[in-house]
């Protein structure tokens, strides 16, 4: 029996909004009344510095806050999209005071103004942090020199308003010159990010004439034709995806068309992989990772993001990747598992699965990124006589993601554990140990299944294994799930979780041996620990699982008895080393 799966609108269950039909056009003049406690004195100081420069040195410049702070403040000052007007999480998202402020300067470089500001602030008794300069790097689409420093508790980036000139047949600017606010706004990624807050007039400026309207209507649009914007910096394709999924906004058709342009996708391949990985990481940590993965599929961006593996390495893969649609199928199942309700075709999961995710703020992003990498499940290659994971390669070398949020170490562990844990049917054939408690306890203690050092938790490892087993049951073309088969699999995993709790195993997963190494050596009469100690400790853990009420005295007696029976293979240091000739024979 197949059930319509029902593609959700966002991973938070946000309903599809209706379009705002207002015909109002707003360009400038929105007054921001709530700057936030930190920004009021900072803005006053910036304004005072520009006045002092004009009066004392005849230097004219102006300060405009740019970027996300303005977008979010404009939203909370009356231009919040009407379909989010009562959406508390969205209000909290936009209303949070940011400590990262981007300032665009007219007719002055960032470092120069930072030095003037530092001098002016010192006269007012205000200390500033050390000024750092981030140089231009056109090859990585970093076209502006940036000054950064701390000021009154804020992290400040200072750049000049820019205009660019291009050489023929090149998208790297031949010259970046001082520009007007309009010229600078047109060079930004989206209209909602092209808004400025004028520090001196205390007004929001919408020089594209579309930013506030698009913010109100929930639209992602580029200030210039999308192809031109994307050729300027191809990463902006991914930024459009990120902001659309973050805010639940719609991408205009022109962006979709340009994103699928082969030229744009080729240019995206040469963007610094760290920048691509950072955008993807923000999508997975954002409000709607499923929406981001859906857009990546719809805009044909999967290969440009994940599949930049060199041909010689692809040829060495143990098998070709699965169809790219598998990524979206896994993400959809992940969403439906995490947000199951009465209409979901997937039965409700045991509560312990979801409580583990709630306890780890990094887990949700890791689960969705792992879902996106599902086409590479089980693929390996040989490197220096070692078997390597294709998923590990993509995370490390294609996306340049490290162990922050446990992407690089935690996601390969999820896939490794899904193989260990698959089909957890409670039968003697599946778990052959005489004691079921020992068999299940040892399984949960497997390094790939549970390891705090990699962010791996046995419950989320089980959940991911379940998701991977459900993926083949979903038909993305028809948007249907084999509900009958899915129910059987979920019931198997729920029964398994119930048994784990009946056996009181959750508390044993990280339990240490009841005796430490020194105590074990003392009981066995060994003065010097050796390589044998690891095996003895493993046997001790196994005994503890079978004897949950054991005491130290009982453990010591058991060790002594095992040694007497000759079951403890130990080296007391008295054995003579085997000669090289004997080893060769």
């Amino acid at each position: 029996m197949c059930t319509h799966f029902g593609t959700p609108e966002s991973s938070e269950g946000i309903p599809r909004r209706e379009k705002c039909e207002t015909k109002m056009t707003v360009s400038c003049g929105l007054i921001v009344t709530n700057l936030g406690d930190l920004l009021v004195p900072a803005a006053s100081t910036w304004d005072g510095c520009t006045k002092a420069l004009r009066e004392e040195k005849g230097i004219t410049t102006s300060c405009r806050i740019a970027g996300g702070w303005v977008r979010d403040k404009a939203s909370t000052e009356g231009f919040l999209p009407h379909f989010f007007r009562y959406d508390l999480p969205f209000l909290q998202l936009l209303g949070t005071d940011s400590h990262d402020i981007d300032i665009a300067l007219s007719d002055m470089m960032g470092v120069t103004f930072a030095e003037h500001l530092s001098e002016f602030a010192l006269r007012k008794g205000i200390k500033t942090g050390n000024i750092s300069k981030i140089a231009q790097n056109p090859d990585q689409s970093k076209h502006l020199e940036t000054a950064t420093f701390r000021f009154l508790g804020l992290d400040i980036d200072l750049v000049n308003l820019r205009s660019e000139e291009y050489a023929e047949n090149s998208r790297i600017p031949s010259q970046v010159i001082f520009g007007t606010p309009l010229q600078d706004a047109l060079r930004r990624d989206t209209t909602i990010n092209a808004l400025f807050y004028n520090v001196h007039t205390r007004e929001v400026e919408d020089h594209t004439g579309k930013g506030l309207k698009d913010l109100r209507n929930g639209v992602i649009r580029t200030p210039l034709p999308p192809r031109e914007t994307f050729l300027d910096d191809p990463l902006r394709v991914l930024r459009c995806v990120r902001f659309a999924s973050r805010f639940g906004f719609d991408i205009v058709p022109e962006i979709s068309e340009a994103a699928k342009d082969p030229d744009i996708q080729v240019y995206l391949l040469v963007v610094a992989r760290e920048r691509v990985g950072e955008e993807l990481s923000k999508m997975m940590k954002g409000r709607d990772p499923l929406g981001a993965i859906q857009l990546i599929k719809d805009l044909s961006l999967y290969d440009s993001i994940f599949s930049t593996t060199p041909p010689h390495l692809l040829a060495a893969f143990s098998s070709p990747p699965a169809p790219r649609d598998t990524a979206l199928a896994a993400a959809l199942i992940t969403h439906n598992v995490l947000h199951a309700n009465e209409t979901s075709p997937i039965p409700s999961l045991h509560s312990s699965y979801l409580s583990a995710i709630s306890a780890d703020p990094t887990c949700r992003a890791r689960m969705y990124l792992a879902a996106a990498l599902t086409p590479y499940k089980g693929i390996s290659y040989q490197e220096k006589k070692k078997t390597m994971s294709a998923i590990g390669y993509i995370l490390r070398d294609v996306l340049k993601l490290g162990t922050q949020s446990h992407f690089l170490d935690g996601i390969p562990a999820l896939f490794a554990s899904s193989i260990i844990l698959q089909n957890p049917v409670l039968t003697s054939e599946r778990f052959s140990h005489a004691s079921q408690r020992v068999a299940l306890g040892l399984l949960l203690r497997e390094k790939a299944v549970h390891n705090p050092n990699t962010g791996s938790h046995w419950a989320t490892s089980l959940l991911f294994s379940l998701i991977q087993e459900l993926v083949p049951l979903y038909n993305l073309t028809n948007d249907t799930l084999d509900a009958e088969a899915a129910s059987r699999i979920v019931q198997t995993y729920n029964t398994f979780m119930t048994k784990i709790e009946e056996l009181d195993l959750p508390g044993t997963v990280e339990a240490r041996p009841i005796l430490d190494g020194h105590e074990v050596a003392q009981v066995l009469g060994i003065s010097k620990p050796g390589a044998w100690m690891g095996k003895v400790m493993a046997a001790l853990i196994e005994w503890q699982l079978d004897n949950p009420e054991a005491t130290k005295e009982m453990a010591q007696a058991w060790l002594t008895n095992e040694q007497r029976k000759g079951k403890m293979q130990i080296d007391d240091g008295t054995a003579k080393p085997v000669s090289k000739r004997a080893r060769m024979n």
Side-chain angles (χ1 to χ4, degrees):
M1 176 182 175
C2 290
T3 302
H4 183 69
F5 206 46
T7 304
E9 294 305 322
S10 83
S11 62
E12 298 300 330
I14 300 165
R16 172 65 69 182
R17 62 217 170 275
E18 296 176 2
K19 280 299 173 189
C20 179
E21 297 299 332
T22 178
K23 297 187 182 300
M24 177 177 60
T25 301
V26 180
S27 55
C28 301
L30 175 63
I31 305 295
V32 173
T33 58
N34 178 21
L35 288 181
D37 294 339
L38 291 175
L39 200 54
V40 169
S44 178
T45 307
W46 301 331
D47 183 42
C49 180
T50 60
K51 290 177 180 176
L53 284 173
R54 184 171 60 251
E55 294 168 1
E56 298 172 11
K57 300 182 180 181
I59 299 174
T60 301
T61 188
S62 59
C63 300
R64 289 173 172 82
I65 301 177
W69 183 91
V70 189
R71 175 197 64 229
D72 297 348
K73 280 296 179 184
S75 296
T76 57
E77 291 287 334
F79 281 85
L80 183 68
H82 78 280
F83 42 84
F84 282 131
R85 189 62 52 84
Y86 302 106
D87 183 352
L88 183 59
F90 189 77
L91 284 168
Q92 291 171 337
L93 174 69
L94 292 179
T96 300
D97 284 333
S98 174
H99 288 195
D100 298 319
I101 305 295
D102 297 329
I103 298 178
L105 303 161
S106 61
D107 303 314
M108 183 175 289
M109 300 296 287
V111 172
T112 304
F113 183 77
E115 291 169 346
H116 285 304
L117 178 61
S118 180
E119 179 185 333
F120 176 80
L122 194 59
R123 284 157 43 188
K124 301 293 183 180
I126 302 172
K127 292 189 67 175
T128 63
N130 294 329
I131 300 168
S132 300
K133 182 174 79 170
I134 302 175
Q136 292 175 287
N137 189 350
D139 289 337
Q140 294 190 7
S141 299
K142 179 69 177 175
H143 302 318
L144 296 178
E145 175 187 290
T146 305
T148 66
F149 66 106
R150 290 277 295 174
F151 184 74
L152 291 176
L154 301 167
D155 293 312
I156 306 297
D157 284 2
L158 289 163
V159 296
N160 57 286
L161 293 168
R162 65 166 174 159
S163 179
E164 297 166 351
E165 296 179 2
Y166 293 88
E168 188 176 355
N169 299 323
S170 173
R171 292 313 304 170
I172 295 178
S174 58
Q175 188 177 14
V176 179
I177 59 178
F178 292 130
T180 66
L182 173 60
Q183 289 171 323
D184 188 278
L186 292 176
R187 285 296 172 192
R188 294 187 176 262
D189 52 9
T190 62
T191 56
I192 65 171
N193 289 336
L195 300 169
F196 293 117
Y197 171 73
N198 190 311
V199 168
H200 316 290
T201 65
R202 297 201 174 186
E203 291 182 340
V204 170
E205 299 175 348
D206 182 5
H207 293 277
T208 70
K210 299 175 183 176
L212 290 172
K213 182 178 179 181
D214 287 344
L215 190 60
R216 183 176 181 85
N217 288 332
V219 171
I220 297 297
R221 185 195 318 273
T222 54
L224 293 171
R227 178 179 168 84
E228 185 175 347
T229 296
F230 296 157
L231 287 175
D232 179 16
D233 182 358
L235 191 73
R236 290 172 177 169
V237 179
L238 301 188
R239 288 176 62 82
C240 288
V241 170
R242 174 159 69 88
F243 287 116
S245 63
R246 178 184 177 187
F247 297 128
F249 286 5
D250 289 330
I251 288 177
V252 297
E254 295 82 0
I255 287 181
S256 299
E257 182 180 346
K260 297 175 185 177
D261 186 320
D263 291 340
I264 300 298
Q265 299 203 348
V266 168
Y267 273 104
L268 185 55
L269 292 174
V270 299
V271 171
R273 301 312 299 177
E274 293 87 350
R275 299 179 71 212
V276 173
E278 182 180 0
E279 285 298 319
L280 185 65
S281 174
K282 289 178 178 177
M283 292 179 206
M284 298 301 102
K285 294 175 183 177
R287 188 163 173 263
D288 186 11
L290 170 59
I293 295 170
Q294 176 77 61
L295 282 171
I296 287 170
K297 175 191 179 294
D298 292 346
L299 301 181
S300 304
L301 295 172
Y302 190 91
D303 285 348
S304 297
I305 297 172
F306 296 100
S307 304
T308 61
T309 307
H312 74 277
L313 190 57
L314 274 175
F317 278 2
S318 57
S319 62
R324 307 301 189 257
D325 287 355
T326 311
L328 180 57
L332 281 162
I333 291 171
T334 299
H335 169 87
N336 277 270
V337 164
L338 298 183
H339 301 277
N341 54 44
E342 296 80 8
T343 63
S344 173
I346 298 177
S348 296
L349 287 176
H350 192 292
S351 60
S352 293
Y353 287 114
L354 302 183
S355 62
I357 289 183
S358 301
D360 180 1
T362 68
C363 185
R364 176 174 167 271
R366 199 157 55 248
M367 295 285 281
Y368 275 104
L369 182 52
L373 290 167
T374 297
Y376 290 90
K377 177 184 178 180
I379 299 177
S380 62
Y381 64 97
Q382 297 296 314
E383 184 178 274
K384 297 180 180 179
K385 298 183 179 180
K386 290 184 178 181
T387 300
M388 309 293 286
S389 159
I391 287 172
Y393 173 83
I394 293 169
L395 290 164
R396 183 182 60 252
D397 295 298
V398 174
L399 299 174
K400 301 292 184 181
L401 292 172
T403 55
Q404 187 178 13
S405 299
H406 290 300
F407 285 147
L408 181 57
D409 50 358
I411 289 177
L414 280 174
F415 281 98
S417 67
S418 71
I419 296 172
I420 297 171
L421 297 169
Q422 64 184 345
N423 190 31
V425 181
L426 294 167
T427 61
S428 57
E429 291 79 16
R430 179 71 170 82
F431 300 103
S432 57
H433 197 283
S435 166
Q436 193 175 65
R437 190 173 197 274
V438 173
L440 301 190
L442 293 176
L443 179 69
L444 300 185
R445 290 176 65 94
E446 287 273 356
K447 193 173 182 180
V449 174
H450 188 92
N451 183 357
N453 293 328
T454 62
S456 303
H457 189 281
W458 62 269
T460 53
S461 295
L462 272 167
L463 181 60
F464 186 73
S465 178
L466 164 64
I467 290 168
Q468 289 297 304
E469 287 202 54
L470 293 178
V471 169
L473 304 182
Y474 177 57
N475 186 319
L476 190 63
T477 303
N478 301 325
D479 189 27
T480 56
L481 179 75
D482 186 338
E484 188 174 327
S487 295
R488 287 196 299 269
I489 292 173
V490 171
Q491 186 57 48
T492 296
Y493 276 82
N494 281 346
T495 301
F496 190 72
M497 179 64 80
T498 299
K499 178 58 68 174
I500 287 171
E501 295 194 344
E502 285 177 358
L503 295 173
D504 196 24
L505 285 171
T508 70
V509 178
E510 293 183 26
R512 300 180 65 83
I514 198 169
L515 302 175
D516 63 26
H518 176 75
E519 291 170 322
V520 168
Q522 193 173 34
V523 169
L524 298 178
I526 305 298
S527 59
K528 185 179 179 182
W532 54 270
M533 182 65 78
K535 294 181 179 179
V536 172
M537 287 300 194
L540 181 56
I541 284 289
E542 189 170 331
W543 178 82
Q544 283 178 223
L545 286 168
D546 208 21
N547 298 272
E549 304 299 325
T551 63
K552 278 196 172 190
E553 291 73 20
M554 293 170 65
Q556 291 167 345
W558 174 77
L559 271 177
T560 301
N561 190 44
E562 291 294 289
Q563 185 183 35
R564 188 181 301 118
K565 292 179 180 178
K567 293 184 178 181
M568 290 294 171
Q569 301 297 320
I570 59 177
D571 177 9
D572 60 4
T574 60
K576 295 181 180 180
V578 181
S579 69
K580 183 176 180 181
R581 181 180 298 277
R583 289 198 301 270
M584 291 177 65
N585 293 336

